Amino acid sequence: MKLMSGNANLPLAKAIADYLEIPMTDAAVKRFADEEVFVEINENVRGEDVFVIQPTAYPANDNLMELLICIDALRRSSAKRITAVLPYFGYARQDRKPGPRTPISAKLVANLITVAGANRVLSIDLHAGQIQGFFDIPTDNLYAAPVMSADIQARFAGRNITVVSPDVGGVVRARALAKRLNNAPLAIVDKRRERAGESEVMNIIGDVDGRFCILIDDIVDSAGTLCNAAAALKQAGAEDVVAYCTHGVLSGGAVARVEKSELRELVVTDSIGLHEVVQGSEKIRILTVAPLLAEAIKRISQESSVSSLFD
């Protein structure tokens, strides 16, 4: 087994390598003067089982091209099997046609990764489960819920916890976390989205009065939905509100929005390489998913069960 990484999240790749106690593959992923991606693998990978770790977060197009060219370089170097490890799968939110004459970009990106030469895909908390079917190769979708539930139980044991979904579409995810937290009560924020990137909270389905509320979501981008949901929960009598999200995209003024919000804390994983503004925030805390990814990589390489990670 060999591990290789693009430039999207080198700290996560190194943490995975440290957990598995194997060195990173010696490879150069650089740019020409005109910003074209250049990849050169400086060691023999013929007949090897290679895992390429590269989330396709901001800048999404650059990181995606790095991934595709790394895969192509490995295929042309006669690697036995190439697994694209995508802690965060970019373009996942474009997984259907919401209106006429719009693309299904998630399917297009899946085709690109497959055609480049990947034999397998490993990701965490895909925005929609059906994206696994967009790939014509085996796809493993890991869940960050075990990492989050362990952190919640360690920090907030004894509190009157209610798990809250920030929208109707996230109820399955919230219910799965609630089950791990000894079948904690569930609530839903019913909101109406007027336009892309903005949300208006309407009401709360469920009793949150005097409860310690934990909002759960897969992606936090502008943070508008979470901040509005936190305000609505406080107005409904919630004792405190903490948010757990797998992928901290946090674009634009999201960090400032979180700092001014009713949220006590926002917890995100290191699936995306987080910038200095995020790391300097007093309200944002980072959980690592390196052990989870490392265990999945080891099990795939050993041809053992990945699903048993979540039993």
Side-chain angles (χ1 to χ4, degrees):
M1 176 172 61
K2 285 186 178 289
L3 293 179
M4 181 176 169
S5 176
N7 295 312
N9 196 345
L10 285 170
L12 177 61
K14 289 174 181 174
I16 292 170
D18 289 344
Y19 184 95
L20 294 172
E21 297 181 342
I22 61 174
M24 294 292 297
T25 297
D26 182 12
V29 183
K30 301 185 290 189
R31 294 286 194 279
F32 288 115
D34 62 354
E35 293 301 308
E36 284 185 4
V37 177
F38 170 73
V39 173
E40 185 175 15
I41 302 165
N42 299 318
E43 63 183 77
N44 182 28
V45 294
R46 183 180 296 274
E48 296 282 1
D49 190 9
V50 187
F51 294 81
V52 186
I53 303 163
Q54 178 81 340
T56 51
Y58 176 85
N61 300 331
D62 288 353
N63 288 330
L64 176 60
M65 281 306 300
E66 277 191 12
L67 172 66
L68 297 175
I69 294 172
C70 285
I71 292 170
D72 185 70
L74 289 167
R75 180 171 62 88
R76 296 176 188 279
S77 303
S78 302
K80 180 177 70 176
R81 181 172 66 177
I82 304 164
T83 302
V85 181
L86 300 157
Y88 172 71
F89 180 65
Y91 288 103
R93 285 172 285 184
Q94 299 178 51
D95 61 346
R96 65 196 184 283
K97 287 191 66 170
R101 296 171 296 281
T102 55
I104 304 179
S105 305
K107 172 59 176 168
L108 171 62
V109 173
N111 288 346
L112 290 171
I113 292 169
T114 305
V115 171
N119 303 111
R120 191 178 193 97
V121 170
L122 174 64
S123 191
I124 300 180
D125 279 338
L126 288 168
H127 186 60
Q130 66 265 24
I131 291 174
Q132 295 171 82
F134 291 0
F135 290 92
D136 296 325
I137 52 179
T139 304
D140 291 298
N141 182 31
L142 306 181
Y143 303 100
V147 178
M148 292 178 177
S149 63
D151 186 75
I152 292 167
Q153 288 167 339
R155 296 176 70 89
F156 306 121
R159 306 295 291 267
N160 293 322
I161 290 174
T162 293
V163 178
V164 184
S165 173
D167 52 37
V168 176
V171 172
V172 173
R173 185 180 301 107
R175 187 180 292 120
L177 180 64
K179 186 177 179 180
R180 287 181 175 274
L181 298 174
N182 301 314
N183 290 311
L186 189 65
I188 304 166
V189 179
D190 176 37
K191 73 176 192 297
R192 180 176 300 163
R193 190 181 295 276
E194 299 295 336
R195 59 184 64 85
E198 296 182 15
S199 63
E200 180 184 354
V201 172
M202 303 300 288
N203 52 42
I204 309 296
I205 302 170
D207 182 19
V208 298
D209 189 24
R211 307 290 297 184
F212 185 84
C213 292
I214 295 179
L215 282 160
I216 177 74
D217 211 347
D218 62 330
I219 298 172
V220 52
D221 188 353
S222 65
T225 296
L226 285 182
C227 293
N228 289 344
L233 290 166
K234 279 283 194 175
Q235 289 173 6
E239 174 194 329
D240 220 340
V241 184
V242 173
Y244 278 76
C245 297
T246 306
H247 308 298
V249 177
L250 296 168
S251 58
V255 175
R257 197 171 289 118
V258 169
E259 292 288 343
K260 296 176 184 176
S261 74
E262 296 283 357
L263 284 170
R264 170 178 165 179
E265 186 179 49
L266 169 62
V267 183
V268 297
T269 76
D270 56 353
S271 64
I272 294 174
L274 300 171
H275 44 80
E276 293 178 2
V277 177
V278 176
Q279 293 172 340
S281 170
E282 295 182 357
K283 278 195 175 184
I284 300 175
R285 184 163 57 88
I286 301 167
L287 282 178
T288 184
V289 288
L292 175 65
L293 280 166
E295 276 296 327
I297 286 169
K298 182 167 71 174
R299 293 180 184 212
I300 290 169
S301 182
Q302 294 173 347
E303 303 290 353
S304 59
S305 172
V306 174
S307 61
S308 60
L309 278 170
F310 308 104
D311 292 341

